[in-house]
């Protein structure tokens, strides 16, 4: 039986190298690897296992993701960024030694109602992103309430809405508020994500919560960018080739019309695998070492490329949708989205293969 050539290769060693590079720029701050959403599409268990000796802790969004890691034998601390969604989540956190973040009073009540105090809770403060978190004025009573319930270790966290723009009005406002809040906070604090892991953001930060850059995604102006390696390579091979005459159209709707006699390569990959439907004509795809433009609409299972200028293209020639060149950020930009979305919405139809 012939196997379909479309695969997602995950370079675990690249993730390890990226962590080393990012740690250098973090100057000793503790490294929390963000592995939510199946490690941004890279496979949470495989990634977490590979990097366990390099990181201080992990972060996931929801309890179920933390349980998956514990079940796979991951023993390092795991922060649950959204915190408990129910009293039962608090019981699971206690049993499995997870660190819940709390951002509303219902969660505090669930924690207080639990018989045994949770060893470590993160308090989320809304410094201006207005997505989750207590108002700064609530911090004192939240702290008292959790300490009253026996919780000994509290870490303060917030999230920046626009960390890639360190001088923007919103970042300045959030940083000013954050500096005030943490000035007399006795415990650990955590503000940084990938984009905030830049040294010019001089502020107290004990824990960096790093996701995108760890996978080799490019974050605007990050000093480590030149050292980061993409960990995901989305690959396929040419399924069909045809010559068409100038003036002929390709794909659904016939929107792309050849201006010259052209060689069209059909690749067995489409939005059913996670390649974006919205990718524009001209989005680069590597075929046999050269970049060729996507032409015509992306279908569910296939897409078409103008391979006229590529050397030696045959049925079976390898094609790279994203990896080193083009990078996922370039494909995302040509599709009106962000690399984060492309990484995390792989559908699972393309086989995932790990390289070490
Ligand atoms: C609260 C929080 N911290 C950290 C991160 C990691 O961000 P990044 O992937 O940009 O490093 C995220 C990601 O969405 C987040 O929601």
């Amino acid at each position: 039986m012939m196997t379909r050539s479309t695969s997602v290769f995950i370079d675990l060693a690249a993730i390890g190298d990226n962590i080393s590079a990012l740690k250098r720029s973090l100057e000793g701050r503790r490294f929390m690897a963000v592995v939510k959403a199946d490690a941004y599409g890279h496979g949470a268990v495989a990634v977490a296992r590979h990097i366990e000796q390099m990181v201080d802790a992990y972060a996931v969004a929801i309890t179920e993701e933390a349980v998956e890691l514990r079940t796979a034998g991951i023993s390092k601390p795991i922060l649950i960024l959204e915190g408990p969604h129910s009293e039962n989540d608090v019981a699971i956190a206690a049993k499995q030694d997870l660190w819940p973040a709390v951002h509303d009073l219902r969660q505090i009540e669930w924690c207080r109602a639990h018989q045994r105090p949770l060893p470590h809770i993160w308090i989320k403060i809304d410094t201006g992103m207005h997505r989750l978190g207590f108002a700064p004025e609530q911090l004192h009573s939240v702290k008292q309430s959790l300490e009253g319930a026996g919780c000994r270790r509290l870490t303060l966290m917030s999230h920046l809405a626009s960390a890639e723009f360190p001088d923007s009005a919103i970042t300045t406002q959030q940083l000013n508020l954050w500096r005030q809040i943490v000035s007399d906070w006795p415990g650990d604090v955590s503000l940084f994500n990938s984009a905030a892991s830049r040294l010019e953001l001089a502020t107290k930060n004990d824990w960096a919560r790093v996701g995108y850059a760890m996978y080799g995604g490019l974050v605007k102006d990050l000093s480590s960018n030149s050292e980061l390696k993409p960990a995901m390579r989305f690959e396929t091979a040419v399924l069909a080739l045809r010559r068409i005459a100038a003036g002929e159209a390709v794909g659904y709707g016939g929107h792309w019309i050849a201006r010259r006699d052209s060689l069209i390569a059909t690749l067995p990959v489409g939005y059913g695998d996670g390649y974006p439907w919205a990718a524009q004509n001209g989005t680069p795809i590597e075929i046999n070492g050269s970049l060729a433009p996507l032409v015509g609409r992306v279908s569910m299972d296939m897409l078409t490329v103008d391979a006229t200028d590529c050397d030696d293209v045959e049925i079976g020639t390898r094609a790279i949708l994203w990896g080193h060149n083009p990078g996922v950020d370039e494909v995302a930009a040509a599709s009106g989205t962000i690399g984060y979305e492309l990484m995390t919405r792989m559908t699972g139809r393309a086989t995932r293969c790990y390289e070490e």
Side-chain angles (χ1 to χ4, degrees):
M1 194 181 80
M2 229 181 102
T3 46
R4 189 170 177 250
S5 54
T6 306
S7 306
V8 186
F9 290 92
I10 306 295
D11 182 351
L12 292 171
I15 298 179
D17 292 347
N18 293 342
I19 292 175
S20 302
L22 289 157
K23 273 180 159 179
R24 281 194 288 278
S25 73
L26 283 166
E27 296 187 329
R29 286 154 172 136
R30 270 164 287 167
F31 195 99
M32 178 172 269
V34 182
V35 293
K36 61 194 170 105
D38 205 19
Y40 293 40
H42 294 68
V45 169
V47 170
R49 279 192 183 139
H50 185 78
I51 65 178
E52 192 159 17
Q53 299 314 314
M54 308 185 73
V55 303
D56 299 292
Y58 303 95
V60 294
I62 55 173
T63 304
E64 288 79 353
E65 292 175 325
V67 170
E68 185 194 4
L69 295 181
R70 282 282 182 265
T71 307
I74 298 294
S75 57
K76 282 252 164 92
I78 306 174
L79 171 67
I80 303 170
L81 293 165
E82 285 176 18
H85 284 206
S86 67
E87 234 174 300
N88 188 41
D89 279 359
V90 174
I92 294 171
K95 194 159 165 226
Q96 306 228 9
D97 194 16
L98 307 170
W99 296 352
V102 291
H103 57 82
D104 81 9
L105 294 174
R106 271 182 337 149
Q107 295 174 313
I108 308 262
E109 285 318 308
W110 296 332
C111 293
R112 283 171 64 86
H114 194 70
Q115 300 101 333
R116 278 189 302 141
L118 289 152
H120 189 171
I121 293 184
W122 288 44
I123 303 175
K124 191 156 191 177
I125 297 292
D126 182 5
T127 49
M129 183 161 171
H130 301 328
R131 187 175 67 171
L132 284 184
F134 294 103
E137 312 76 80
Q138 291 177 284
L139 178 56
H140 183 66
S141 66
V142 166
K143 179 171 177 283
Q144 277 192 330
S145 184
L146 290 170
E147 283 174 344
C151 186
R152 296 270 163 270
R153 193 167 165 207
L154 297 174
T155 293
L156 204 57
M157 70 177 285
S158 191
H159 196 47
L160 293 175
S162 199
E164 61 279 35
F165 297 99
D167 302 320
S168 62
I170 172 114
T171 305
T172 308
Q173 197 185 319
Q174 285 195 269
L175 278 177
N176 286 342
L177 191 50
W178 175 251
R179 287 187 187 115
Q180 275 174 36
I181 296 167
V182 299
S183 62
D184 58 355
W185 178 258
D188 280 355
V189 300
S190 171
L191 181 69
F192 289 7
N193 61 354
S194 293
S197 306
R198 57 186 79 222
L199 296 174
E200 66 263 33
L201 280 197
T203 181
K204 193 165 168 355
N205 183 89
D206 301 296
W207 287 91
R209 312 183 303 265
V210 182
Y212 196 56
M214 187 173 90
Y215 304 104
L218 294 184
V219 174
K220 191 179 166 303
D221 297 336
L222 205 62
S223 59
S224 352
N225 268 348
S226 60
E227 294 177 78
L228 299 180
K229 302 170 187 164
M232 182 184 282
R233 191 175 76 252
F234 192 12
E235 198 180 291
T236 185
V238 174
L239 176 69
L241 281 168
R242 74 204 57 248
R243 295 211 170 264
I244 61 165
E248 288 188 299
V250 173
Y252 278 121
H255 293 296
W256 185 81
I257 296 167
R259 293 215 185 115
R260 57 178 178 173
D261 294 351
S262 305
L263 176 66
I264 301 298
T266 301
L267 308 183
V269 59
Y271 59 81
D273 301 288
Y275 193 90
W277 175 84
Q280 289 167 9
N281 282 316
T283 304
I285 291 173
E286 194 213 293
I287 299 189
N288 211 14
S290 44
L291 292 181
L294 171 81
V295 294
R297 284 252 163 91
V298 174
S299 320
M300 190 182 292
D301 319 304
M302 280 172 274
L303 56 78
T304 35
V305 185
D306 178 359
T308 316
D309 297 327
C310 298
D311 294 328
D312 303 326
V313 180
E314 301 171 348
I315 290 180
T317 299
R318 206 165 74 118
I320 296 177
L321 289 323
W322 62 70
H324 277 278
N325 189 20
V328 69
D329 294 284
E330 201 179 336
V331 178
S335 313
T337 181
I338 52 175
Y340 288 71
E341 188 187 3
L342 296 191
M343 283 180 185
T344 52
R345 70 170 193 194
M346 303 304 287
T347 63
R349 184 168 68 175
T351 321
R352 193 194 275 153
C353 314
Y354 287 97
E355 298 171 318
E356 290 204 32

